[in-house]
Amino acid sequence: MSHVINFEKTVKHAKILNPLKNFAEDTLTFEYRTDPLTGRNTTVIKDMLSYVSKFLTSDMELLDSLVEKTRTNCPFCPENVRTKTPMFPKDFLEEGRIFVGDAVVIPNLMGHAERSILVVLSRAHHLKLKDFAYKLIFDGFKGGVTYLKRLTEVEPSTRFPVFAFNYLPPAGSSIFHPHMQVLTRDRPFFLVNLLLEKSRAYYEKNKVSYWKDLLRKEKAGERHLFETEGIEWLVPFAPLRGLNEVQAIVKGKSNLLELNDKEWSGLAEGISKMLRFYHKEGYVSFNVILLSGPMNEHLDYFDVNLRMISRPGIQALSFTDAWALPYLLWDGEAVEEPERLAERIRAFTETNK
Ligand SMILES: [Zn+2]
């Protein structure tokens, strides 16, 4: 009963008389792709990447000046982190904060969930994407997990964690200094809930995990990227947001507390590798989400999985890709064919090991 995953797409065209080509007839192509698990549409638009690329580069002088401006009184810089950031109450954590390598785990001053914490990732106030070293991300993960372990002792009903990176203002971060969020609630976020429900339905119908099936189908395929310590990396067939989006899957582990050090290191290595690719392509800003099933049980039908995307550049124009279609209409749009992106990433990672 495996191999039931269908990669469905429909191609549509529009004809225009193009002023850039002396009003010669031009054909635009729109490819509607259905996410094989959720059914959500993503429209793949060839050549859109080159059309929007001028908004994706950064004004490096502006970026440097913002780095300097935000360094003054930055609460996450090493000289301030012990005096200007919140601490956990003593009954939760005697020492108040968790330190792992350079990572510092602190409660969020203004949270986004009933248990909302931050992991300061580096001593440096600003990092180029190529400088997000494996060790720094790994230590950040370990700090986050140390917190989650304590949380499950104190408050077992708070069982749905998400790790999220928002780096620089185009990615929605109000603080420049490299950090990660860990948001944990008694109820899953919308996307997590959708993936859990659809994965359970798939398992009940097909008697096999969707995630297992997906990897079986993608492993040797044109969207597969690489493997890091058993973690599989690929470009999704129908991306959520579609700007350099990749997905990682932790095989057979349904929640973050089940991951071993090898798997955490595989995730850190893959993120670091992808950030070097983003840097090479001229990006400075990114988001990552790492999704987990409930921490108090193992689910055979769900695998811990990650998504990461690059974001637009830092420019005076303040262009954002969070426009009406993805943000309010909840549809997806990919500015490049996922298979072409996968090819470009592979070409980079195979020569930059
Ligand atoms: Zn700082």
Side-chain angles (χ1 to χ4, degrees):
M1 281 303 281
S2 63
H3 289 246
V4 292
I5 291 178
N6 246 332
F7 293 119
E8 278 174 44
K9 56 181 173 185
T10 308
V11 179
K12 298 280 182 186
H13 298 287
K15 285 197 191 327
I16 59 162
L17 303 183
N18 191 337
L20 305 175
K21 297 178 183 169
N22 205 15
F23 295 98
E25 189 175 281
D26 221 351
T27 303
L28 310 178
T29 303
F30 305 89
E31 197 175 283
Y32 300 129
R33 295 190 177 198
T34 306
D35 181 276
L37 183 63
T38 63
R40 178 177 181 269
N41 176 71
T42 290
T43 307
V44 175
I45 304 174
K46 284 180 204 174
D47 304 325
M48 184 62 101
L49 182 59
S50 58
Y51 182 72
V52 297
S53 61
K54 61 177 176 291
F55 301 113
L56 305 180
T57 56
S58 287
D59 173 344
M60 296 318 264
E61 245 168 65
L62 177 60
L63 174 57
D64 288 347
S65 78
L66 292 173
V67 169
E68 283 321 307
K69 234 177 251 170
T70 55
R71 193 191 302 273
T72 312
N73 294 323
C74 168
F76 296 171
C77 271
E79 65 274 20
N80 292 333
V81 76
R82 285 170 193 263
T83 53
K84 289 191 176 164
T85 62
M87 295 171 78
F88 292 104
K90 287 226 175 313
D91 56 349
F92 184 85
L93 189 79
E94 187 56 39
E95 311 77 37
R97 301 184 185 97
I98 300 165
F99 296 88
V100 180
D102 288 345
V104 186
V105 181
I106 54 174
N108 208 331
L109 190 59
M110 189 59 80
H112 304 279
E114 73 264 28
R115 297 294 168 255
S116 179
I117 66 151
L118 294 172
V119 183
V120 179
L121 291 170
S122 67
R123 296 176 60 80
H125 179 67
H126 174 72
L127 291 172
K128 292 179 173 155
L129 299 197
K130 71 175 171 59
D131 298 328
F132 276 80
Y134 147 83
K135 170 96 170 54
L136 174 156
I137 303 170
F138 179 78
D139 287 345
F141 281 150
K142 296 301 289 183
V145 174
T146 305
Y147 164 78
L148 289 181
K149 283 185 180 149
R150 177 64 186 142
L151 182 64
T152 51
E153 287 170 8
V154 180
E155 219 175 66
S157 62
T158 311
R159 60 204 183 108
F160 290 100
V162 164
F163 283 18
F165 295 71
N166 313 297
Y167 187 54
L168 298 193
S173 183
S174 56
I175 293 191
F176 253 63
H177 199 116
H179 64 282
M180 175 181 80
Q181 308 224 11
V182 180
L183 309 177
T184 313
R185 313 197 305 194
D186 66 343
R187 63 207 66 197
F189 283 94
F190 180 84
L191 178 67
V192 176
N193 194 44
L194 180 70
L195 296 180
L196 286 170
E197 279 181 1
K198 295 286 184 181
S199 299
R200 193 183 56 218
Y202 186 96
Y203 190 83
E204 281 166 4
K205 188 170 166 223
N206 303 300
K207 311 290 178 238
V208 60
S209 155
Y210 166 81
W211 302 90
K212 211 177 242 178
D213 253 3
L214 179 69
L215 284 178
R216 216 175 278 162
K217 204 149 178 181
E218 292 287 46
K219 177 78 195 195
E222 53 186 342
R223 287 179 294 273
H224 188 262
L225 298 174
F226 47 79
E227 186 187 328
T228 53
E229 307 283 354
I231 314 295
E232 301 287 354
W233 294 78
L234 56 129
V235 177
F237 169 76
L240 280 173
R241 290 289 178 244
L243 185 55
N244 294 301
E245 180 171 330
V246 301
Q247 181 174 33
I249 298 168
V250 186
K251 290 176 277 192
K253 302 292 171 80
S254 72
N255 76 68
L256 294 177
L257 293 185
E258 293 178 349
L259 271 61
N260 57 37
D261 272 6
K262 192 169 166 249
E263 288 157 334
W264 284 116
S265 111
L267 285 172
E269 190 190 325
I271 292 174
S272 178
K273 212 185 252 252
M274 280 307 306
L275 292 178
R276 290 198 295 275
F277 171 75
Y278 288 173
H279 175 84
K280 192 269 289 180
E281 299 281 295
Y283 296 99
V284 298
S285 174
F286 71 98
N287 290 104
V288 176
I289 50 170
L290 177 62
L291 308 180
S292 171
M295 290 190 285
N296 61 336
E297 57 181 322
H298 175 76
L299 307 175
D300 286 331
Y301 58 81
F302 185 77
D303 281 357
V304 166
N305 63 92
L306 169 153
R307 298 256 176 171
M308 68 187 285
I309 53 175
S310 64
R311 299 305 298 267
I314 293 204
Q315 298 182 359
L317 189 64
S318 298
F319 170 83
T320 172
D321 56 356
W323 63 295
L325 185 141
Y327 207 61
L328 293 174
L329 292 169
W330 293 8
D331 226 54
E333 189 170 286
V335 295
E336 179 182 28
E337 295 149 282
E339 297 72 27
R340 231 190 107 220
L341 169 63
E343 227 170 79
R344 293 197 297 117
I345 297 172
R346 280 195 306 265
F348 174 76
T349 53
E350 277 158 22
T351 50
N352 293 273
K353 290 207 171 165

